[in-house]
Amino acid sequence: MSGSNVWSRSREKFRLFPELFAQCSPEAATYGKCVSASTTGRQELKKDMCAKEFQALKTCFTNAAKRKAK
């Protein structure tokens, strides 16, 4: 496998990221609000505190990437 091919594919995926992420802005906002609310004051973010919101964002992003690949 050529090293340049790996970098070309990686760069292409990163170029798509903003477009894909924009399709999931409601889920990203919900996740961000959860993280922000969970770390107010002296609280620390703990594992799985925002798992439901993260899963919704991950699902949205995965579906957006699949639609773009077609």
Side-chain angles (χ1 to χ4, degrees), residues 1-69:
M1 179 186 300
S2 171
S4 64
N5 272 345
V6 171
W7 290 113
S8 296
R9 287 190 307 250
S10 294
R11 261 187 256 122
E12 184 59 32
K13 288 179 183 179
F14 279 117
R15 280 190 201 117
L16 292 174
F17 187 79
E19 182 182 334
L20 298 175
F21 195 70
Q23 294 178 31
C24 299
S25 59
E27 290 84 354
T30 302
Y31 178 65
K33 287 177 186 174
C34 179
V35 169
S36 179
S38 300
T39 57
T40 304
R42 296 180 149 224
Q43 293 178 333
E44 291 184 24
L45 185 63
K46 292 187 170 78
K47 184 179 182 194
D48 296 333
M49 251 181 162
C50 298
K52 180 179 74 171
E53 293 83 354
F54 178 77
Q55 188 59 45
L57 177 58
K58 180 180 172 184
T59 300
C60 178
F61 193 76
T62 300
N63 291 337
K66 285 179 184 176
R67 285 190 302 267
K68 185 66 178 174

